[in-house]
Amino acid sequence: MLDRTDDVSVAARDWLAAFEASLASPDGSLEPLFCGESYWRDVLALSWNIQTLNGADAILKQLRPLAARAAPAMFQIDPDRAAPRWVTRAGTSTVEAIFKFETKVGRGHGVLRLVPDAGDGNRLKAWTLLTALEELKGFEEQLDRTRPRGQAYSRDFRGPNWLDQRRASASYADRDPAVLVVGGGQAGLAIAARLKQLKVDALIVDRWPRIGDNWRRRYHALTLHNQVHVNHLPYMPFPPNWPTYIPKDKLANWFAAYVDAMELNFWTGTEFLGGTYDEARERWDVTLRRADGTTRQMHPRHVVMATGVSGIPNLPDIPSLKNFAGRLVHSSQYEDGEDWSGKRAIIIGTGNSGHDIAQDLYSSGAAVTLVQRSPTLITNIEPSAQLAYAAYSEGTLEDNDLIAASMPLKLARRSHQMLTEQSKKFDQDLLDRLARIGFKLDFGEDGTGWQFKYLSRGGGYYFNVGCSDLVASGAISLVQFADIDGFIAEGARLKNGDIIAADLIVLSTGYKGQEFLVRKLFGEDVADRVGPIWGFGQAEELRNMYTRTRQPGLYFIAGSLAQCRINSKFLALQIKAIEEGLLPRA
C-alpha cells in the first residue's frame, strides 16, 4: 500500500492519464480504472446536469457517450489545490486528489478518490469521482484579473458618477432584468453575486423593508448554530475578528454591506405577487408590489426562487386552539421574551426554534411548558453538532467546498451515520437525562443524524445550547402532545384533567414545503410540472434544487450559507449558459 506523498501523487497522476487516454480512444477500456463499488458525481461538466451514478456498470454505460459530447481533456493534478494525500472518508482510507480539466465549453475541477482493489493485486482504482464545471470559456467571472479601471483613469466631470450609475442600474426604469431573484437572504445574495460576476443582469426583490430583515426580525437571542468558518458568502469572507457563532443582527448588517460592496441590485419592500410563463417569448410576465403600493410588471427570462427551504408557516389543524383566549403566534412571529416576564407560555414543537424560544422565555422570567409532538434529535452544539464541519477547520474554503460537493449521497449517509454514533457517545449523559423524563429521542432515518433531517424535511432536531438541560432538570416543563385533551380559554387541558395555564402559545411547527408557494404564485400547472422541491428523489440529488426544472426559466436555491455558496456557482453557470445559447432552457 502506498504511503509516501510522492507515490500518492504519482498514483493519482497516472490514473488521470489513463482515464484521459481511455476516454479519447474508441478502443480504450475504462473498466480497469473503477472499483465495482464506485461513484461518479457530475456537476454540469459532462452532462449539464447535477447527477450521481452508483456502481461501475452504471458509470461505464454513461461516461463514454457523455465524454464524446463534452470532450474532456487536459486532466492534471491542480498544483494550486491541496496535494494528493491519504484521508479517511465515510470510514474508508483513500487517496484523495484534486484535479483540473477542460471540456469543449468550459474548465472544471474534480476530486478523485482511489482505493486498493484486493481482487486485482491491490491496484489503486477509482472509488469516487467528481467532475464539476468551474467556468465557461469566454465567459469567465469578472474578478481581479479583469478588474475595471473605474473613473479615476478617465473622468467625465459633467457626466454621471459611480453613485449615479448605481442608482440608474438599480431603478430598472428603462429595462427588465434578465433574472428576477425572489428573496434577499443568503440564497438570493449568493446567486445574484454569482450572476453579477458573469455579467448577467439580476434584480433581487424582498418583501422586508431593510436588507437583512429576514434575519434581523427573528427572535432576539438568535445566533447561527454552526461556526463562522463554514458560513461565508461568495467572494467576501467574514472578517477574521468575527465571533465563532454569528449573532443574527450582525449577519443582517453584513448582508446590507454585502449588497453594497458587490453592487447588487436589490428592491426592498417589494412583494412578488406571481407570474405566468410565455413560451413563445420565452419570458415571464410577473407582477411586483412596491413599498408605496404601486405595482410593476416585469418580463425577466429567468425567475429564481430564493425564499428559503420553505416560506409559508405550517399551522397544524388543532380545532380546539380557537378556544384559547391568550396570544397565539407562529414561531416566525415571535420576537422577544421580555414582554412575557412573569407570564406563562406553552411552546408546541421541539425543534431548534421551539427550544430556543422556550429558553428565551424562561430566561425572561416566564413559566414555560414545552410540548413534544414527535421524536426529536438532540445534539449538543459542541462538539457534536460541529463534527459535520470538521474538515472546514483546516485547508482552504475552496478546497473544502469542492470536497463537500464531491461526496455522493450514499457515502454522505454513511459518514453521517458514523458521526451520529460518535455524537451519541459525546452526548450520552444528556440523552439519558432526557429519556428519563419521557422526552422522545430520534436519530434520523437509519441513524443518519441531523444533517439528513434537514436535507429531507428541513427540521426535526435541536442543537443544545442549554434548553435541553433546562428541560431535563424540570426548569422547563415537558408535556407530550398526545397527553393533551384539548385547548381551552385558560390554556391546555390534559387527558388526566390537569390544566396547563398559559398567556401565550407559540406554534413552533415549521413551514410548508416550497411546492405550496409555487402553487400559490404560479398556479397548479406549474406546480405539477415542477413536482416536489427539496428532499431526495431516485436520482440521489436534492429535488429541483440548484438546477433547471421542468418549467423553463424557473429555478430554486435554498439552504445554509455553505449550501448557497457552493451551489450558487452551479446555478449561475446554467443560467449563463442558457443566456449564451450553450444550453436549452429545460
Side-chain angles (χ1 to χ4, degrees), residues 12 87 101 143 239 251 255 265 278 321 345 410 426 492 509 520 523:
V87 297
F101 63 100
L143 301 175
L251 184 63
F255 280 12
N265 293 336
D278 187 322
L321 269 176
K410 185 175 179 179
F426 286 145
T509 48
K520 174 185 175 183

Side-chain angles (χ1 to χ4, degrees), residues 14-278:
D14 290 350
W15 189 96
L16 291 171
F19 180 64
E20 181 172 349
S22 296
L23 289 177
S25 171
D27 301 323
S29 177
L30 290 164
E31 187 173 358
L33 298 176
F34 288 87
C35 298
E37 182 202 356
S38 50
Y39 307 86
W40 173 36
R41 188 164 193 246
D42 183 60
V43 184
L44 310 180
L46 276 67
S47 65
W48 277 120
N49 291 315
I50 301 175
Q51 64 179 34
T52 300
L53 297 176
N54 295 347
D57 291 343
I59 293 171
L60 298 177
K61 183 178 180 179
Q62 290 204 33
L63 183 52
R64 190 172 291 283
L66 288 173
R69 184 180 66 185
M74 300 179 66
F75 288 86
Q76 56 183 298
I77 302 298
D78 190 337
D80 298 323
R81 311 298 285 260
R85 64 206 189 279
W86 283 103
V87 297
T88 299
R89 304 291 185 207
T92 297
S93 181
T94 178
V95 173
E96 184 174 85
I98 298 176
F99 62 91
K100 60 182 180 179
F101 63 100
E102 296 191 10
T103 68
K104 282 183 180 178
V105 300
R107 301 177 186 87
H109 276 106
V111 177
L112 168 67
R113 296 189 182 92
L114 301 170
V115 295
D117 184 351
D120 190 11
N122 282 335
R123 180 181 178 185
L124 287 173
K125 296 184 178 181
W127 177 42
T128 77
L129 178 67
L130 169 75
T131 49
L133 185 65
E134 181 75 20
E135 61 184 6
L136 297 168
K137 292 178 179 177
F139 307 105
E140 293 82 3
E141 289 188 337
Q142 302 303 299
L143 301 175
D144 32 327
R145 61 185 169 191
T146 54
R147 188 183 294 276
R149 298 297 297 271
Q151 293 181 323
Y153 178 71
S154 177
R155 281 178 279 180
D156 180 356
F157 283 86
R158 294 186 177 274
N161 67 3
W162 172 86
L163 182 59
D164 297 328
Q165 293 172 357
R166 285 292 303 127
R167 286 172 174 165
S169 174
S171 72
Y172 289 92
D174 58 354
R175 74 191 197 286
D176 289 330
V179 182
L180 184 69
V181 179
V182 182
Q186 61 262 23
L189 298 189
I191 184 60
R194 298 286 192 188
L195 290 169
K196 174 81 173 184
Q197 300 311 309
L198 292 171
K199 293 187 175 181
V200 177
D201 188 8
L203 168 64
I204 305 167
V205 296
D206 192 277
R207 62 191 177 94
W208 293 115
R210 296 173 61 194
I211 298 170
D213 271 354
N214 65 311
W215 284 99
R216 190 178 289 110
R217 287 173 174 258
R218 300 190 192 189
Y219 56 90
H220 186 71
L222 178 65
T223 64
L224 297 190
H225 289 107
N226 52 2
Q227 296 183 352
V228 63
H229 55 271
V230 182
N231 285 321
H232 307 287
L233 286 169
Y235 313 114
M236 279 181 62
F238 298 125
N241 65 332
W242 273 40
T244 300
Y245 297 100
I246 305 173
K248 68 178 183 72
D249 297 286
K250 193 174 186 68
L251 184 63
N253 292 342
W254 181 260
F255 280 12
Y258 186 84
V259 167
D260 185 53
M262 297 302 298
E263 298 186 8
L264 306 182
N265 293 336
F266 196 123
W267 284 7
T268 57
T270 302
E271 185 177 1
F272 179 78
L273 299 180
T276 57
Y277 188 71
D278 187 322

Side-chain angles (χ1 to χ4, degrees), residues 338-554:
E338 292 299 319
D339 293 337
W340 301 96
S341 178
K343 304 291 182 63
R344 300 155 300 184
I346 294 174
I347 314 300
I348 301 176
T350 48
N352 267 324
S353 293
H355 277 88
D356 281 352
I357 291 170
Q359 188 171 1
D360 186 55
L361 284 162
Y362 173 83
S363 300
S364 298
V368 182
T369 298
L370 191 61
V371 177
Q372 186 173 29
R373 302 171 71 215
S374 58
T376 308
L377 188 150
I378 304 295
T379 184
N380 282 319
I381 193 167
E382 287 188 0
S384 299
Q386 307 308 318
L387 294 175
Y389 304 115
Y392 277 85
S393 62
E394 58 184 33
T396 67
L397 185 68
E398 291 75 16
D399 285 354
N400 286 319
D401 281 352
L402 192 66
I403 290 167
S406 74
M407 290 301 291
L409 176 63
K410 185 175 179 179
L411 296 185
R413 288 176 63 89
R414 188 184 303 172
S415 293
H416 283 277
Q417 285 172 328
M418 297 171 66
L419 293 176
T420 302
E421 288 301 311
Q422 190 176 356
S423 297
K424 287 163 66 175
K425 292 178 182 177
F426 286 145
D427 300 337
Q428 195 63 57
D429 175 68
L430 173 65
L431 300 177
D432 288 346
R433 287 188 287 125
L434 287 170
R436 282 197 292 269
I437 65 163
F439 192 97
K440 295 179 180 179
L441 294 166
D442 175 30
F443 300 101
E445 182 182 1
D446 299 325
T448 50
W450 70 264
Q451 183 82 66
F452 274 84
K453 273 184 163 288
Y454 175 67
L455 293 173
S456 61
R457 53 175 285 197
Y461 56 89
Y462 168 56
F463 293 168
N464 179 40
V465 291
C467 190
S468 288
D469 300 277
L470 294 171
V471 173
S473 70
I476 291 177
S477 301
L478 175 70
V479 170
Q480 294 297 323
F481 185 79
D483 293 331
I484 295 177
D485 182 59
F487 291 88
I488 57 177
E490 296 84 0
R493 181 174 58 223
L494 302 183
K495 291 178 178 177
N496 66 7
D498 291 347
I499 303 295
I500 303 174
D503 304 291
L504 169 71
I505 294 178
V506 180
L507 296 173
S508 184
T509 48
Y511 296 84
K512 295 181 182 295
Q514 288 193 72
E515 48 266 38
F516 287 86
L517 187 60
V518 174
R519 203 169 299 277
K520 174 185 175 183
L521 295 174
F522 300 102
E524 299 286 340
D525 290 345
V526 171
D528 291 343
R529 189 176 303 128
V530 171
I533 304 163
W534 201 254
F536 293 101
Q538 294 182 345
E540 299 196 357
E541 300 287 347
L542 283 173
R543 294 175 296 189
N544 287 308
M545 295 302 302
Y546 322 121
T547 187
R548 292 168 295 158
T549 68
R550 292 176 62 191
Q551 170 59 57
L554 183 61

